[in-house]
Amino acid sequence: MQTLIEAYRSFLPVPADARVISISEGGTPLIPLTSISLRDRGIAVYAKCEGMNPTGSFKDRGMTVAVTMSLWSGAKAIICASTGNTSASAAAYAARAGIQAFVVIPDGQIAQGKLAQAMMHGAKVIQISGDFDDGMAIVKSLADETGIALVNSVNPHRLAGQKTAAFEIVDALGNAPDYHFLPVGNAGNISAYWLGYNEYLEAGRSNQRPRMIGCQASGAAPFVLGNPVERPETVATAIRIGRPQSWDLARTAQKESQGWFLAFSDEEILSAQRDVAERDGIFCEPASAVCLAGVRESIDTGVIPDDSVIVCTLTGHGLKDPATAIAQSPAPTRVRADVAEVRAIISAD
Ligand code: AN7
């Protein structure tokens, strides 16, 4: 099978002699969302399902390039701070490359599936009594001091890899969409998509660029507020970030594309997550669902014209965070292991 790097090699900085570290990332499905699309108005909404990547999030696109390039330049270890998904991906790609990963995570604030991944792939997991922004400051200074390769999205190879999602969307639709909604935390992904859409336009593979709409949690919404947030809080722990590293790039993406930023409460985020799970059969994590709340609100408030094509990125798989899913769901009905008792429940439904 072709790796992501091979598929888009001419757009990537990977030298021909580099040993490519791949776990078959990318090539994720673009699925029409019947729960939000409005056929009578010609509004088509598609989900780019990044939870289908090997470690269950979009981070793998960036990590294949970042780890390949780190190895090529002689790194023996990689380091990152993470709200969970970056650590899971870094751990897996380091394992594949045969090098050590050090991951710095906020104490008690990462979803269980992500922690399990980092641990299983053999990363050294360092839990700090602080949040992601504290962790980011620590790994930046340690990477400088030790020469360990930093694989957070301040590493430009991460953005280079992640821009391939925009390429795949244009390849699938035959053009760029009119609007692209995505969750924003550290702001690497929105910056990467904008790079990708621009490069494809310049290469003549599309004839337009979408408006970029960044969606945040109300308790962690620095772009909506216009300044960093101290002590960010949200149920969507993946985007519990108050000092986004790619601030300028993300602002540029929003301004150049004539897009905007939105924020949603935890309640709205969980309701959007449940809605797409129940109505479209797609289980994404809370942080991903924030962009569905964004699409719905933008349609409802009338800012999306008829006949628009909308893509939203569902950045991570719902199985990453089973605890949040179970906590917001009705408890299973308990009965004895008895046909009559089970039949009674079914007939009552
Ligand atoms: C599911 O793992 O920052 O705006 O350390 O896991 O590019 O940061 C995760 C971010 C959206 C936000 N959706 O993307 C990390 C981390 C999910 C995520 C984001 C993240 P960026």
Side-chain angles (χ1 to χ4, degrees):
M1 227 192 102
Q2 210 183 25
T3 67
L4 184 72
I5 287 177
E6 285 159 2
Y8 293 108
R9 199 177 261 284
S10 62
F11 292 92
L12 294 172
V14 181
D17 66 340
R19 175 184 155 215
V20 170
I21 305 302
S22 169
I23 322 176
S24 202
E25 54 292 317
T28 56
L30 188 66
I31 303 178
L33 291 183
T34 50
S35 63
I36 312 189
S37 297
L38 293 175
R39 275 171 72 182
D40 52 333
R41 291 185 48 196
I43 298 180
V45 184
Y46 298 88
K48 181 68 170 161
C49 292
E50 292 290 277
M52 306 293 276
N53 275 296
T55 78
S57 87
F58 71 97
K59 305 286 182 182
D60 297 340
R61 293 179 185 277
M63 212 54 77
T64 181
V65 179
V67 173
T68 294
M69 294 305 289
S70 299
L71 208 63
W72 184 76
S73 40
K76 299 282 183 287
I78 58 173
I79 191 167
C80 65
S82 180
T83 57
N85 279 325
T86 299
S87 68
S89 186
Y93 282 81
R96 190 87 181 171
I99 59 174
Q100 182 66 49
F102 298 98
V103 306
V104 174
I105 56 168
D107 210 354
Q109 289 288 347
I110 88 165
Q112 254 198 328
K114 305 172 188 179
L115 182 59
Q117 289 176 292
M119 292 170 123
M120 281 303 287
H121 292 303
K124 179 79 187 165
V125 181
I126 305 160
Q127 228 165 327
I128 56 165
S129 55
D131 58 24
F132 170 84
D133 303 305
D134 299 320
M136 198 63 230
I138 292 170
V139 297
K140 274 164 87 175
S141 91
L142 280 180
D144 284 346
E145 183 186 314
T146 59
I148 296 175
L150 182 60
V151 295
N152 280 106
S153 55
V154 291
N155 178 334
H157 297 135
R158 279 278 310 280
L159 300 195
Q162 284 169 213
K163 75 187 175 188
T164 59
F167 297 165
E168 289 178 11
I169 290 165
V170 175
D171 289 341
L173 295 176
N175 201 354
D178 300 308
Y179 297 87
H180 192 121
F181 287 73
L182 79 175
V184 171
N186 210 22
N189 213 27
I190 189 171
S191 309
Y193 270 94
W194 189 237
L195 265 177
Y197 282 126
N198 277 291
E199 288 182 14
Y200 247 31
L201 181 74
E202 281 155 29
R205 307 276 184 105
S206 61
N207 59 27
Q208 66 171 31
R209 301 177 299 183
R211 291 184 189 228
M212 303 297 296
I213 297 95
C215 302
Q216 304 208 281
S218 303
F223 286 106
V224 176
L225 298 170
N227 50 263
V229 172
E230 298 299 330
R231 310 271 155 260
E233 260 325 321
T234 168
V235 69
T237 52
I239 51 172
R240 189 168 167 272
I241 295 173
R243 293 186 175 275
Q245 296 294 313
S246 297
W247 182 275
D248 293 341
L249 289 174
R251 269 278 170 229
T252 301
Q254 175 250 318
K255 284 189 184 145
E256 285 183 0
S257 75
Q258 298 179 288
W260 57 89
F261 288 103
L262 299 170
F264 296 93
S265 68
D266 284 358
E267 207 180 6
E268 290 169 310
I269 290 171
L270 294 179
S271 148
Q273 183 195 16
R274 170 165 297 278
D275 208 50
V276 72
E278 286 190 343
R279 297 174 63 195
D280 266 306
I282 298 172
F283 188 21
C284 66
E285 63 173 287
S288 309
V290 72
C291 71
L292 299 172
V295 174
R296 195 176 293 281
E297 185 185 88
S298 296
I299 290 177
D300 287 350
T301 55
V303 293
I304 308 284
D306 289 358
D307 303 314
S308 293
V309 174
I310 301 175
V311 171
C312 47
T313 305
L314 299 185
T315 44
H317 203 289
L319 289 172
K320 293 272 191 175
D321 190 356
T324 302
I326 291 169
Q328 61 152 315
S329 300
T333 309
R334 295 187 83 106
V335 295
R336 287 188 305 122
D338 176 83
V339 174
E341 290 206 15
V342 176
R343 185 189 298 119
I345 303 292
I346 292 169
S347 350
D349 206 65

mmCIF file of all heavy atoms in Angstrom, residues 50-53 55-58 85 114 273 282-286 288 314-321:
data_model
loop_
_atom_site.group_PDB
_atom_site.id
_atom_site.type_symbol
_atom_site.label_atom_id
_atom_site.label_comp_id
_atom_site.label_asym_id
_atom_site.label_seq_id
_atom_site.Cartn_x
_atom_site.Cartn_y
_atom_site.Cartn_z
ATOM 1 N N GLU A 50 -11.276 11.626 10.488
ATOM 2 C CA GLU A 50 -9.875 11.428 10.839
ATOM 3 C C GLU A 50 -9.665 10.420 11.965
ATOM 4 O O GLU A 50 -8.534 9.992 12.221
ATOM 5 C CB GLU A 50 -9.238 12.775 11.183
ATOM 6 C CG GLU A 50 -9.106 13.697 9.971
ATOM 7 C CD GLU A 50 -8.051 13.203 8.990
ATOM 8 O OE1 GLU A 50 -6.856 13.487 9.228
ATOM 9 O OE2 GLU A 50 -8.423 12.508 8.012
ATOM 10 N N GLY A 51 -10.778 10.037 12.607
ATOM 11 C CA GLY A 51 -10.691 8.970 13.602
ATOM 12 C C GLY A 51 -10.315 7.637 12.980
ATOM 13 O O GLY A 51 -9.968 6.687 13.683
ATOM 14 N N MET A 52 -10.378 7.549 11.640
ATOM 15 C CA MET A 52 -10.030 6.309 10.943
ATOM 16 C C MET A 52 -8.524 6.157 10.723
ATOM 17 O O MET A 52 -8.072 5.198 10.103
ATOM 18 C CB MET A 52 -10.749 6.249 9.591
ATOM 19 C CG MET A 52 -12.251 6.426 9.682
ATOM 20 S SD MET A 52 -13.041 5.067 10.527
ATOM 21 C CE MET A 52 -13.203 3.926 9.151
ATOM 22 N N ASN A 53 -7.746 7.102 11.178
ATOM 23 C CA ASN A 53 -6.284 6.972 11.092
ATOM 24 C C ASN A 53 -5.784 5.900 12.076
ATOM 25 O O ASN A 53 -6.509 5.522 13.000
ATOM 26 C CB ASN A 53 -5.632 8.330 11.408
ATOM 27 C CG ASN A 53 -5.555 9.215 10.183
ATOM 28 O OD1 ASN A 53 -4.875 8.877 9.216
ATOM 29 N ND2 ASN A 53 -6.287 10.323 10.212
ATOM 30 N N THR A 55 -3.895 5.651 14.723
ATOM 31 C CA THR A 55 -4.042 5.811 16.177
ATOM 32 C C THR A 55 -5.342 6.538 16.531
ATOM 33 O O THR A 55 -5.546 6.947 17.673
ATOM 34 C CB THR A 55 -2.827 6.519 16.850
ATOM 35 O OG1 THR A 55 -2.911 7.935 16.619
ATOM 36 C CG2 THR A 55 -1.498 5.980 16.355
ATOM 37 N N GLY A 56 -6.218 6.703 15.542
ATOM 38 C CA GLY A 56 -7.544 7.234 15.837
ATOM 39 C C GLY A 56 -7.672 8.741 15.835
ATOM 40 O O GLY A 56 -8.666 9.278 16.317
ATOM 41 N N SER A 57 -6.670 9.451 15.288
ATOM 42 C CA SER A 57 -6.819 10.901 15.141
ATOM 43 C C SER A 57 -5.979 11.428 13.977
ATOM 44 O O SER A 57 -5.116 10.715 13.453
ATOM 45 C CB SER A 57 -6.423 11.656 16.421
ATOM 46 O OG SER A 57 -5.030 11.926 16.442
ATOM 47 N N PHE A 58 -6.249 12.685 13.628
ATOM 48 C CA PHE A 58 -5.539 13.349 12.520
ATOM 49 C C PHE A 58 -4.049 13.519 12.764
ATOM 50 O O PHE A 58 -3.284 13.805 11.832
ATOM 51 C CB PHE A 58 -6.158 14.730 12.254
ATOM 52 C CG PHE A 58 -5.885 15.756 13.336
ATOM 53 C CD1 PHE A 58 -4.849 16.667 13.208
ATOM 54 C CD2 PHE A 58 -6.665 15.815 14.479
ATOM 55 C CE1 PHE A 58 -4.585 17.615 14.193
ATOM 56 C CE2 PHE A 58 -6.421 16.747 15.481
ATOM 57 C CZ PHE A 58 -5.378 17.646 15.335
ATOM 58 N N ASN A 85 -3.968 13.152 22.133
ATOM 59 C CA ASN A 85 -3.830 12.528 20.812
ATOM 60 C C ASN A 85 -2.419 12.633 20.236
ATOM 61 O O ASN A 85 -1.930 11.692 19.598
ATOM 62 C CB ASN A 85 -4.837 13.132 19.830
ATOM 63 C CG ASN A 85 -6.208 12.510 19.999
ATOM 64 O OD1 ASN A 85 -6.325 11.313 20.291
ATOM 65 N ND2 ASN A 85 -7.252 13.304 19.828
ATOM 66 N N LYS A 114 -6.415 7.530 25.096
ATOM 67 C CA LYS A 114 -5.167 8.176 24.649
ATOM 68 C C LYS A 114 -4.014 7.812 25.586
ATOM 69 O O LYS A 114 -2.896 7.526 25.144
ATOM 70 C CB LYS A 114 -5.356 9.695 24.603
ATOM 71 C CG LYS A 114 -6.543 10.113 23.742
ATOM 72 C CD LYS A 114 -6.849 11.606 23.837
ATOM 73 C CE LYS A 114 -8.151 11.925 23.106
ATOM 74 N NZ LYS A 114 -8.515 13.339 23.182
ATOM 75 N N GLN A 273 -22.123 15.838 19.678
ATOM 76 C CA GLN A 273 -21.469 14.525 19.611
ATOM 77 C C GLN A 273 -22.514 13.411 19.585
ATOM 78 O O GLN A 273 -22.431 12.474 18.787
ATOM 79 C CB GLN A 273 -20.544 14.346 20.830
ATOM 80 C CG GLN A 273 -19.760 13.037 20.795
ATOM 81 C CD GLN A 273 -19.138 12.659 22.129
ATOM 82 O OE1 GLN A 273 -19.498 13.193 23.184
ATOM 83 N NE2 GLN A 273 -18.205 11.741 22.093
ATOM 84 N N ILE A 282 -21.830 7.896 13.334
ATOM 85 C CA ILE A 282 -20.407 8.237 13.431
ATOM 86 C C ILE A 282 -20.095 8.678 14.859
ATOM 87 O O ILE A 282 -20.722 9.593 15.389
ATOM 88 C CB ILE A 282 -20.036 9.358 12.435
ATOM 89 C CG1 ILE A 282 -20.279 8.873 10.996
ATOM 90 C CG2 ILE A 282 -18.577 9.789 12.624
ATOM 91 C CD1 ILE A 282 -20.124 9.943 9.946
ATOM 92 N N PHE A 283 -19.135 7.980 15.467
ATOM 93 C CA PHE A 283 -18.766 8.248 16.859
ATOM 94 C C PHE A 283 -17.443 9.021 16.858
ATOM 95 O O PHE A 283 -16.395 8.475 16.548
ATOM 96 C CB PHE A 283 -18.625 6.904 17.582
ATOM 97 C CG PHE A 283 -18.427 6.985 19.076
ATOM 98 C CD1 PHE A 283 -18.793 8.106 19.808
ATOM 99 C CD2 PHE A 283 -17.892 5.899 19.765
ATOM 100 C CE1 PHE A 283 -18.622 8.151 21.183
ATOM 101 C CE2 PHE A 283 -17.717 5.927 21.135
ATOM 102 C CZ PHE A 283 -18.085 7.049 21.851
ATOM 103 N N CYS A 284 -17.543 10.318 17.162
ATOM 104 C CA CYS A 284 -16.325 11.138 17.226
ATOM 105 C C CYS A 284 -16.125 11.582 18.663
ATOM 106 O O CYS A 284 -17.026 11.490 19.485
ATOM 107 C CB CYS A 284 -16.433 12.338 16.293
ATOM 108 S SG CYS A 284 -17.696 13.545 16.772
ATOM 109 N N GLU A 285 -14.949 12.084 18.977
ATOM 110 C CA GLU A 285 -14.726 12.521 20.348
ATOM 111 C C GLU A 285 -15.318 13.926 20.561
ATOM 112 O O GLU A 285 -15.608 14.635 19.583
ATOM 113 C CB GLU A 285 -13.250 12.429 20.728
ATOM 114 C CG GLU A 285 -12.287 13.298 19.967
ATOM 115 C CD GLU A 285 -10.877 13.205 20.582
ATOM 116 O OE1 GLU A 285 -10.698 13.776 21.663
ATOM 117 O OE2 GLU A 285 -9.978 12.578 19.986
ATOM 118 N N PRO A 286 -15.506 14.345 21.822
ATOM 119 C CA PRO A 286 -16.137 15.646 22.076
ATOM 120 C C PRO A 286 -15.458 16.806 21.338
ATOM 121 O O PRO A 286 -16.141 17.653 20.739
ATOM 122 C CB PRO A 286 -16.015 15.796 23.598
ATOM 123 C CG PRO A 286 -16.023 14.391 24.120
ATOM 124 C CD PRO A 286 -15.270 13.586 23.081
ATOM 125 N N SER A 288 -13.979 16.916 18.575
ATOM 126 C CA SER A 288 -14.325 16.905 17.154
ATOM 127 C C SER A 288 -15.732 17.467 16.939
ATOM 128 O O SER A 288 -15.989 18.183 15.978
ATOM 129 C CB SER A 288 -14.279 15.477 16.599
ATOM 130 O OG SER A 288 -13.065 14.853 16.927
ATOM 131 N N LEU A 314 -13.794 15.712 11.525
ATOM 132 C CA LEU A 314 -13.989 14.992 12.785
ATOM 133 C C LEU A 314 -12.625 14.420 13.154
ATOM 134 O O LEU A 314 -12.190 13.402 12.635
ATOM 135 C CB LEU A 314 -15.074 13.920 12.627
ATOM 136 C CG LEU A 314 -16.447 14.488 12.254
ATOM 137 C CD1 LEU A 314 -17.512 13.404 12.220
ATOM 138 C CD2 LEU A 314 -16.872 15.616 13.202
ATOM 139 N N THR A 315 -11.955 15.165 14.030
ATOM 140 C CA THR A 315 -10.519 14.990 14.244
ATOM 141 C C THR A 315 -10.098 13.709 14.966
ATOM 142 O O THR A 315 -8.986 13.223 14.771
ATOM 143 C CB THR A 315 -10.001 16.193 15.049
ATOM 144 O OG1 THR A 315 -10.948 16.437 16.111
ATOM 145 C CG2 THR A 315 -9.889 17.432 14.200
ATOM 146 N N GLY A 316 -10.998 13.181 15.815
ATOM 147 C CA GLY A 316 -10.608 12.003 16.594
ATOM 148 C C GLY A 316 -11.777 11.060 16.846
ATOM 149 O O GLY A 316 -12.944 11.472 16.842
ATOM 150 N N HIS A 317 -11.476 9.794 17.057
ATOM 151 C CA HIS A 317 -12.497 8.762 17.247
ATOM 152 C C HIS A 317 -13.144 8.838 18.627
ATOM 153 O O HIS A 317 -12.462 9.121 19.614
ATOM 154 C CB HIS A 317 -11.859 7.383 17.054
ATOM 155 C CG HIS A 317 -12.868 6.335 16.691
ATOM 156 N ND1 HIS A 317 -13.787 5.862 17.585
ATOM 157 C CD2 HIS A 317 -13.123 5.719 15.517
ATOM 158 C CE1 HIS A 317 -14.559 4.966 16.979
ATOM 159 N NE2 HIS A 317 -14.169 4.869 15.716
ATOM 160 N N GLY A 318 -14.435 8.558 18.694
ATOM 161 C CA GLY A 318 -15.158 8.584 19.964
ATOM 162 C C GLY A 318 -14.640 7.593 20.986
ATOM 163 O O GLY A 318 -14.758 7.817 22.198
ATOM 164 N N LEU A 319 -14.060 6.495 20.511
ATOM 165 C CA LEU A 319 -13.557 5.476 21.445
ATOM 166 C C LEU A 319 -12.361 5.959 22.260
ATOM 167 O O LEU A 319 -11.957 5.309 23.224
ATOM 168 C CB LEU A 319 -13.165 4.206 20.678
ATOM 169 C CG LEU A 319 -14.336 3.388 20.119
ATOM 170 C CD1 LEU A 319 -13.828 2.273 19.220
ATOM 171 C CD2 LEU A 319 -15.181 2.832 21.257
ATOM 172 N N LYS A 320 -11.804 7.084 21.889
ATOM 173 C CA LYS A 320 -10.704 7.656 22.662
ATOM 174 C C LYS A 320 -11.147 7.990 24.082
ATOM 175 O O LYS A 320 -10.337 8.007 24.994
ATOM 176 C CB LYS A 320 -10.245 8.972 22.009
ATOM 177 C CG LYS A 320 -9.594 8.817 20.652
ATOM 178 C CD LYS A 320 -8.131 8.589 20.834
ATOM 179 C CE LYS A 320 -7.387 8.703 19.512
ATOM 180 N NZ LYS A 320 -5.944 8.583 19.735
ATOM 181 N N ASP A 321 -12.420 8.370 24.208
ATOM 182 C CA ASP A 321 -12.903 8.900 25.483
ATOM 183 C C ASP A 321 -14.204 8.225 25.907
ATOM 184 O O ASP A 321 -15.267 8.848 25.934
ATOM 185 C CB ASP A 321 -13.108 10.427 25.340
ATOM 186 C CG ASP A 321 -13.366 11.113 26.669
ATOM 187 O OD1 ASP A 321 -13.465 10.409 27.707
ATOM 188 O OD2 ASP A 321 -13.491 12.356 26.674
#
